[in-house]
Amino acid sequence: RAAIIEELLRAGQIERSKGKIRSTELGRTVAASVSPQLASPELTGEWEARLADMRALGDEDAFVVDAAGYASSLVSDAFGRESELRARFGAAGRHVVCKCPRCGREVVRTGADGKGAVVRCSSVTTRRNESGAWEDAGGCGLKVWAKVAGVTLTDEQIAAAIAGERVKVDGIKPKDPSKKSYSRFMTLDASAEDGSGCCKWVYGEFANAPAKPGTGERGGKPFGGRAWAK
Ligand SMILES: [Zn+2]
């Protein structure tokens, strides 16, 4: 939250006055230009409920970053100054990963460290349904878990997977902690859904499994191999 306040201060949308924070002319102009969407009672209620959830989970910062990201996308729509706003809010970790193959808009990653759990198309908006769960309210629906098999993926890996490429994921830890971590190839099935609303990660072959049965390493020396291959 401190980072957001610093950003707004730096952007000149708020100022410190006699120990209090108040909006500036610029800030009020920006707020007024997006107020129909941002200041709607539904949205305020939605965010309050969400904040309460995240507070319970001890993840209040994630909410603020989320809200700031959403606000910045509305503001950028209103002003048509996406790059400038992106630069301003970039410090909060929100950044573009790639273009969305479904709708052509930007696929963004948020979170205080820029490594948020879900990477989503900026067209996706959410709302709370009657049972209190979050659901998509609009947009193309492209959402991707940024963590697969316990490994947080890089932007490059996510972008490649969204583009339909096979991605090698290193450092997967086996259940048995005494065993070595391993690598595995993963692909993203953008047409399938994994039950959480995200695209389905498909686990492919192991990248560093022995090539053939009966080959491997013993005491640092290879065995099997060519003799067996003949
Ligand atoms: Zn999209």
Side-chain angles (χ1 to χ4, degrees):
R1 193 213 302 261
I4 303 286
I5 291 171
E6 285 309 312
E7 280 305 303
L8 289 171
L9 280 170
R10 208 156 58 83
Q13 294 199 23
I14 55 172
E15 60 188 6
R16 282 206 175 92
S17 170
K18 292 173 193 158
K20 287 186 176 167
I21 291 172
R22 36 176 296 175
S23 63
T24 61
E25 185 69 38
L26 172 66
R28 287 191 294 274
T29 307
V30 171
S33 72
V34 296
S35 60
Q37 280 154 293
L38 264 186
S40 73
E42 303 89 85
L43 190 64
T44 305
E46 180 176 305
W47 280 2
E48 270 166 7
R50 193 166 185 180
L51 180 57
D53 277 0
M54 291 196 168
R55 212 174 253 153
L57 294 169
D59 198 12
E60 212 172 316
D61 285 352
F63 165 81
V64 175
V65 170
D66 237 28
Y70 180 59
S72 86
S73 72
L74 284 185
V75 170
S76 65
D77 284 349
F79 278 27
R81 299 185 318 195
E82 282 199 26
S83 59
E84 190 190 329
L85 284 150
R86 207 179 308 131
R88 278 186 197 173
F89 284 93
R94 185 183 191 272
H95 61 276
V96 176
V97 173
C98 60
K99 279 259 181 284
C100 177
R102 292 187 187 170
C103 73
R105 291 192 63 173
E106 287 163 341
V107 176
V108 293
R109 195 168 191 176
T110 57
D113 57 357
K115 290 183 178 174
V118 176
V119 174
R120 69 187 75 212
C121 175
S122 54
S123 70
V124 177
T125 56
T126 54
R127 67 161 172 246
R128 192 172 269 266
N129 64 21
E130 302 79 41
S131 54
W134 286 96
E135 62 181 20
D136 286 3
C140 75
L142 185 98
K143 289 188 286 184
V144 177
W145 284 107
K147 203 171 176 182
V148 60
V151 177
T152 301
L153 303 179
T154 64
D155 289 357
E156 289 71 29
Q157 286 175 314
I158 294 168
I162 288 174
E165 290 169 31
R166 192 175 73 147
V167 175
K168 188 176 165 219
V169 178
D170 296 318
I172 303 171
K173 294 198 168 57
K175 286 203 182 90
D176 179 350
S178 68
K179 298 244 170 74
K180 274 201 294 184
S181 60
Y182 59 93
S183 305
R184 198 161 177 178
F185 289 104
M186 308 272 183
T187 51
L188 195 66
D189 186 347
S191 62
E193 206 232 86
D194 67 357
S196 71
C198 290
C199 297
K200 190 173 180 187
W201 278 108
V202 180
Y203 288 58
E205 65 271 41
F206 296 95
N208 49 1
K212 285 186 189 73
T215 65
E217 218 175 66
R218 192 183 292 137
K221 287 190 176 141
F223 68 88
R226 199 174 296 170
W228 285 97
K230 271 178 185 172

